[in-house]
Amino acid sequence: MNAVAPMTNTASLAVETPILEMRGISQIFPGVKALDQVSISLYPGQVTALIGENGAGKSTLVKILTGIYRPSEGEILLDGQPVQFSSAQAAIDAGVTAIHQETVLFDELTVGENIFLGHAPRTRFGTIDWRTINARSRDLLRQLESEIDPTIRLKDLSIAQRHLVAIARALSVEARIVIMDEPTAALSRKEIDDLFRIVEGLKRQGKAILFISHKFDELYEIAENFAVFRDGKAVGHGSLKETPQAEIVRLMVGRDVHDVFPKITVEIGDTVLSVEGYSHPTEFRDISFELKRGEILGVYGLIGAGRSELCQSLFGITRPSAGRLTLDGKPVEIRSPRDAIAAGVVYVPEERGRHGLALPMPIYQNMSLPSLAKTSRSGFLKASNELKLARQYAERLDLRAAALSVPVGTLSGGNQQKVVIGKWLATQPKVIILDEPTKGIDIGSKAAVHAFISELASQGLSIIMVSSELPEVLGMSDRIMVMREGLMAGFYDRSAATAEALVRAATGNA
Amino acid sequence: MTKLLKSRELLLSGIILLMIAGFATRADGFAEPGNLVNIFNDTSILIILALAQMTVILTKSIDLSVAANLAFTGMAVAMTNAAYPDLPLLVLIVMALGIGALLGAINGFLVWILQIPPIVVTLGTLTIYRGMAFVLSGGGWVNAHQMTPTFLNVPRTVVLGLPILSWVAILVVLGMIFLLTRSSFGRSAYAAGGNPVAAIYAGIDIGRTRFFAFVLSGAMAGLCSYLWVSRYAVAYVDIAAGFELDSVAACVIGGISIAGGIGSVIGAVLGSLFLGVIKNALPVIGISPFAQMAISGIVIILAVVFNARAEAKKGRIILRDRATAEVTA
């Protein structure tokens, strides 16, 4: 870190002149405004914390900064000069580098190859200059206070060491702006301390850092500035040291959420499903709750808290290592999705494309797939019954399609979602698990989905709704379970639940 | 897309008819009904094997061992016929189906329980089954004079203008249409290949579906082994060498997506007929036998390129939509 000295000068000037400034940036996708007139400045030698719920627009901003998206409106100024990041390479050339949540590295390549992949130094003869790669890799890693041998394969490293390699890769290009997208998610406390020492080192080198994290204690430790995003808008920024945590949470959550949701008051009935001590070898432990007839149980938590894994286990995709299930007072064992469907528990997955539908198959065949036992006659498929079933649910869900025999792949996203939901309703379940039911759909459709969820509850279905969106969880749920790092972190009745309490339970900040 | 598939099948039929017409200008009598019946009869075994292969491919797998299975089972059946001439033909056919299904079940078991990729499993069993044929026969041949007349003649017997061999193929085609469109196994096969994850979520056991596809494929190879041995009146280790590739080619030409989940029985039949017409035409129009294999190969590649382009076009539209969705300026 000998090269630091001349650069500290720029750091002292920092307060007035940002290295990079984004002004009035909007990003419009069809039907969704992912970013709405946001502005943010990054200063040399300082860490700016970017805070917001899932879906607030943080990732979109990162993608704009790294040249993956081109903003619909607004300008980016680099050292006061307007620039355009027309490609990922252009962003790299301008000195922007990102370390992602899930680092994209290659297991079978060596550490040095990973660091210099795509910009490997060449020898005079145009072949790859291994000596330089390994020497410079060693230097970069040493800057990060690590003695990892550049010639060993990545797969032999620990997660934390891989992170260091990812950071070294980010630094191997002449970066001035470093984006860290939840870099601490997979790290232990000690590794986080090591990472923060590295970040301090980067600060001293005069680099501007954009740091995305959900963990407030870490942010207060490392960041000077903050910017809070909510629903694609920048709702606050300033000096983090002078802003109390309660204020940040208020900015994140923003509004009084209970009124805008079409929650129907439903007579809550008897216990339908009771889960006792459900555990999984790696993903979650000791989860217990009861679900009553007509009840909506919200499950809130950060990404990686084990919520989807719990639901998949309840649906029989993975088997629990311990725990008991009781359905309608009778013990049940769910060992496969087939068992779950037969018992009346269904799961509407988050990624409808990947988990929900066979896109080349017609709508009606997708709808009837889990219900074939019901539509078939003496073991043979009966298309007329399948069509009848599909028609019934297509009407109920207001599905728009030219014909029920067209492939699902030809439908719009919203209509595909309806096919997924229809397919599960057609099994006439008792318990329906909705994983992020409104993720990636526009505001108007969201309201329709919420109304529909309420209607299902009022018809006596019990609903488990996993959601990362606070307003949705608060607005729709009768009770809320918060999960953190695979454990239950809190239970809240509708009347007692506040956004602040949920965020605190989910992030573990007392 | 159903429409597109239908039009693709129409297109393929058109191409086959054009080819027949074209060859007829070079070789008198090529388009005569009698010759067409011959071509169909010649292609019958390929049709049956292609349909078996198709079922496996639908589930996102592949069975490279069908021809080796055919060779082993054919040898076993022929040797049994030679050794026990009094055994009724029906017993031999049941035996062929049974041995074939058993060999298919070995493939299916390895894919299902041990989770080995199908291409690796069947590449291995391809060698094993052919090796077993060698062990069984000691490298010897079973010739026509060792086989019983019934064994040799039944498939050639003409009933209602078509040899029984052709009728068997027609029955298999009808049976497969029924199986793939009207049975829950068929639906599971399409779903398992169309989106394996969604299929699991819908309660379908993908492993079991693949297992049954391999068993079916093996049984069909067993059936074909008898048809093959009786048709060519000889059994030796190398019969049907490389025929597994013809069955895959017929599927690909017929629009069965090698990625699984897409394809129709009619498509596979047309793909087989396409190859059958070419194989029958080349010698007739006087192309050297040395060039014939190369020409068949070129035609297969052209057909695949044509198919790949048709699929790529669809892909491009999706990408374009996504691109506009992501970079709306």
Side-chain angles (χ1 to χ4, degrees):
Chain A
M1 288 187 205
N2 297 332
V4 177
M7 288 182 118
T8 30
N9 287 333
T10 36
S12 60
L13 293 174
V15 192
E16 287 80 29
T17 46
I19 294 186
L20 184 128
E21 205 181 339
M22 297 175 91
R23 281 191 197 152
I25 298 282
S26 296
Q27 182 74 44
I28 300 161
F29 299 125
V32 189
K33 214 167 191 180
L35 282 179
D36 188 2
Q37 295 283 334
V38 303
S39 300
I40 191 168
S41 301
L42 302 178
Y43 297 94
Q46 295 189 12
V47 174
T48 302
L50 183 55
I51 305 167
E53 285 185 78
N54 300 329
K58 293 171 299 183
S59 304
T60 310
L61 186 88
V62 171
K63 286 190 174 141
I64 290 172
L65 268 179
T66 49
I68 294 168
Y69 291 161
R70 244 159 296 163
S72 320
E73 287 175 4
E75 55 177 355
I76 303 174
L77 303 176
L78 189 72
D79 297 319
Q81 300 298 313
V83 286
Q84 278 198 333
F85 295 157
S86 50
S87 67
Q89 192 56 45
I92 292 170
D93 292 344
V96 179
T97 185
I99 299 158
H100 291 286
Q101 230 161 334
E102 291 141 23
T103 47
V104 254
L105 295 172
F106 300 87
D107 275 354
E108 294 293 335
L109 299 184
T110 69
V111 170
E113 281 174 294
N114 266 294
I115 293 176
F116 284 99
L117 191 75
H119 54 275
R122 303 291 170 130
T123 63
R124 271 181 302 152
F125 308 109
T127 57
I128 290 183
D129 184 354
W130 288 104
R131 200 182 302 233
T132 310
I133 286 189
N134 289 333
R136 283 190 55 199
S137 298
R138 199 164 278 126
D139 279 350
L140 284 165
L141 289 164
R142 210 164 276 154
Q143 276 185 46
L144 305 175
E145 299 174 17
S146 164
E147 292 292 331
I148 300 171
D149 178 359
T151 60
I152 64 173
R153 280 174 201 238
L154 192 82
K155 64 177 178 187
D156 297 325
L157 300 184
S158 71
I159 303 261
Q161 287 176 316
R162 285 169 195 228
H163 248 286
L164 287 176
V165 174
I167 295 170
R169 174 170 170 79
L171 300 181
S172 67
V173 293
E174 292 298 314
R176 299 171 63 205
I177 296 144
V178 180
I179 301 165
M180 297 188 156
D181 193 351
E182 300 215 37
T184 60
L187 301 186
S188 71
R189 185 61 233 184
K190 191 195 158 290
E191 290 161 348
I192 291 172
D193 287 340
D194 291 345
L195 177 75
F196 282 1
R197 262 209 313 286
I198 294 161
V199 174
E200 292 295 343
L202 296 176
K203 278 196 209 174
R204 281 197 299 279
Q205 292 177 32
K207 301 196 192 301
I209 296 159
L210 185 67
F211 196 96
I212 301 175
S213 173
H214 281 104
K215 301 179 185 167
F216 288 125
D217 49 347
E218 292 174 2
L219 293 176
Y220 275 95
E221 214 173 301
I222 196 76
E224 280 79 18
N225 311 311
F226 75 89
V228 178
F229 281 17
R230 187 177 72 228
D231 298 337
K233 295 192 181 69
V235 290
H237 65 95
S239 159
L240 195 60
K241 298 277 178 297
E242 292 156 20
T243 316
Q245 189 175 320
E247 172 67 10
I248 303 267
V249 172
R250 197 190 61 74
L251 285 170
M252 259 176 83
V253 180
R255 60 198 118 110
D256 196 15
V257 287
H258 279 282
D259 345 318
V260 292
F261 284 88
K263 171 99 180 108
I264 308 170
T265 315
V266 175
E267 185 81 13
I268 304 285
D270 297 332
T271 299
V272 174
L273 175 74
S274 117
V275 178
E276 278 171 81
Y278 238 55
S279 300
H280 181 278
T282 54
E283 301 297 338
F284 55 84
R285 201 167 67 232
D286 211 13
I287 307 288
S288 301
F289 62 87
E290 290 196 336
L291 184 67
K292 296 189 165 62
R293 196 177 142 81
E295 186 181 41
I296 301 178
L297 175 73
V299 182
Y300 181 73
L302 302 178
I303 289 170
R307 296 167 300 162
S308 296
E309 290 77 7
L310 170 68
C311 295
Q312 287 170 5
S313 192
L314 290 174
F315 185 60
I317 302 273
T318 58
R319 301 223 183 125
S321 55
R324 273 187 305 170
L325 279 186
T326 317
L327 200 65
D328 282 335
K330 286 187 281 292
V332 287
E333 200 177 344
I334 291 178
R335 301 165 62 86
S336 68
R338 185 183 282 261
D339 289 352
I341 294 165
V345 178
V346 302
Y347 175 65
V348 182
E350 173 182 2
E351 292 177 62
R352 58 175 176 263
R354 210 154 68 80
H355 296 161
L357 298 167
L359 296 179
M361 283 169 61
I363 296 172
Y364 80 92
Q365 292 187 3
N366 267 287
M367 283 240 210
S368 64
L369 201 54
S371 312
L372 284 182
K374 252 188 302 179
T375 57
S376 301
R377 224 170 40 198
S378 46
F380 296 113
L381 304 179
K382 197 141 168 52
S384 58
N385 285 351
E386 291 179 49
L387 277 165
K388 208 166 93 188
L389 185 87
R391 206 171 295 123
Q392 185 186 339
Y393 285 92
E395 268 166 32
R396 191 163 155 199
L397 295 165
D398 192 23
L399 174 73
R400 308 269 164 82
L404 292 174
S405 54
V406 303
V408 166
T410 62
L411 296 180
S412 70
N415 279 316
Q416 287 188 10
Q417 181 85 323
K418 287 176 183 172
V419 176
V420 177
I421 293 179
K423 138 178 161 176
W424 292 118
L425 287 182
T427 65
Q428 297 178 324
K430 294 178 193 138
V431 176
I432 185 160
I433 304 169
L434 303 167
D435 198 349
E436 303 281 3
T438 61
K439 189 177 179 182
I441 60 181
D442 60 85
I443 309 267
S445 308
K446 269 186 188 178
V449 172
H450 290 142
F452 185 70
I453 293 172
S454 276
E455 193 193 316
L456 292 179
S458 70
Q459 289 163 7
L461 236 81
S462 306
I463 295 168
I464 298 174
M465 183 185 74
V466 174
S467 173
S468 298
E469 291 185 36
L470 274 173
E472 183 170 277
V473 173
L474 289 165
M476 293 299 299
S477 314
D478 294 297
R479 273 187 314 146
I480 298 161
M481 176 168 82
V482 180
M483 285 181 73
R484 171 163 47 90
E485 291 168 5
L487 300 171
M488 286 192 297
F491 250 103
Y492 300 88
D493 268 327
R494 180 178 180 77
S495 52
T498 64
E500 288 78 4
L502 295 192
V503 169
R504 242 178 264 127
T507 55
N509 297 303
Chain B
M1 209 150 51
T2 322
K3 261 187 199 151
L4 190 112
L5 280 179
K6 282 212 178 106
S7 71
R8 174 187 291 182
E9 280 146 15
L10 267 178
L11 194 64
L12 195 51
S13 319
I15 291 172
I16 293 171
L17 290 178
L18 274 179
M19 276 179 6
I20 292 172
F23 290 133
T25 62
R26 299 286 309 275
D28 279 342
F30 190 81
E32 296 280 309
N35 189 48
L36 295 182
V37 165
N38 272 340
I39 292 178
F40 183 82
N41 198 46
D42 259 348
T43 315
S44 293
I45 293 177
L46 179 59
I47 289 175
I48 299 173
L49 272 191
L51 290 176
Q53 187 68 262
M54 169 193 169
T55 315
V56 175
I57 291 178
L58 278 182
T59 68
K60 238 186 175 72
S61 304
I62 195 157
D63 188 351
L64 295 180
S65 72
V66 280
N69 183 335
L70 189 160
F72 174 80
T73 312
M75 179 58 76
V77 171
M79 285 173 72
T80 310
N81 178 246
Y84 306 100
D86 296 333
L87 229 48
L89 182 61
L90 193 65
V91 173
L92 290 175
I93 291 174
V94 169
M95 180 182 144
L97 285 167
I99 296 175
L102 181 72
L103 297 186
I106 292 173
N107 289 331
F109 177 82
L110 292 170
V111 169
W112 181 17
I113 306 294
L114 299 186
Q115 308 258 322
I116 307 173
I119 191 161
V120 178
V121 167
T122 56
L123 207 52
T125 51
L126 172 159
T127 320
I128 296 171
Y129 296 164
R130 222 178 263 276
M132 278 162 47
F134 197 88
V135 172
L136 186 69
S137 64
W141 293 39
V142 181
N143 288 309
H145 64 86
Q146 294 166 275
M147 301 175 191
T148 61
T150 325
F151 186 86
L152 290 173
N153 291 338
V154 166
R156 306 159 201 245
T157 312
V158 174
V159 177
L160 300 174
L162 282 179
I164 285 188
L165 175 58
S166 298
W167 284 114
V168 172
I170 290 169
L171 282 179
V172 169
V173 168
L174 295 177
M176 289 299 293
I177 290 178
F178 184 81
L179 186 74
L180 289 179
T181 59
R182 293 291 308 278
S183 79
S184 52
F185 164 74
R187 184 66 56 78
S188 301
Y190 277 100
N195 184 345
V197 183
I200 293 172
Y201 277 52
I204 288 167
D205 191 331
I206 294 186
R208 219 176 54 143
T209 307
R210 289 200 176 131
F211 174 80
F212 284 125
F214 275 108
V215 172
L216 179 77
S217 165
M220 288 296 132
L223 176 65
C224 289
S225 80
Y226 163 65
L227 298 173
W228 187 292
V229 169
S230 70
R231 175 158 178 75
Y232 298 101
V234 62
Y236 55 97
V237 173
D238 283 331
I239 58 169
F243 207 61
E244 65 276 349
L245 299 183
D246 286 24
S247 73
V248 175
C251 287
V252 174
I253 293 168
I256 283 90
S257 165
I258 212 80
I262 303 174
S264 70
V265 170
I266 299 304
V269 171
L270 289 172
S272 309
L273 288 175
F274 180 94
L275 287 179
V277 168
I278 288 175
K279 290 207 164 162
N280 276 278
L282 292 183
V284 178
I285 60 172
I287 288 177
S288 133
F290 299 109
Q292 277 172 29
M293 276 175 79
I295 290 176
S296 314
I298 290 166
V299 173
I300 290 171
I301 291 179
L302 285 179
V304 172
V305 167
F306 171 77
N307 263 327
R309 287 179 61 87
E311 289 201 11
K313 249 180 239 150
K314 277 182 286 163
R316 226 173 280 138
I317 292 165
I318 294 164
L319 281 183
R320 203 190 304 136
D321 285 349
R322 191 184 296 159
T324 43
E326 286 187 352
V327 199
T328 315

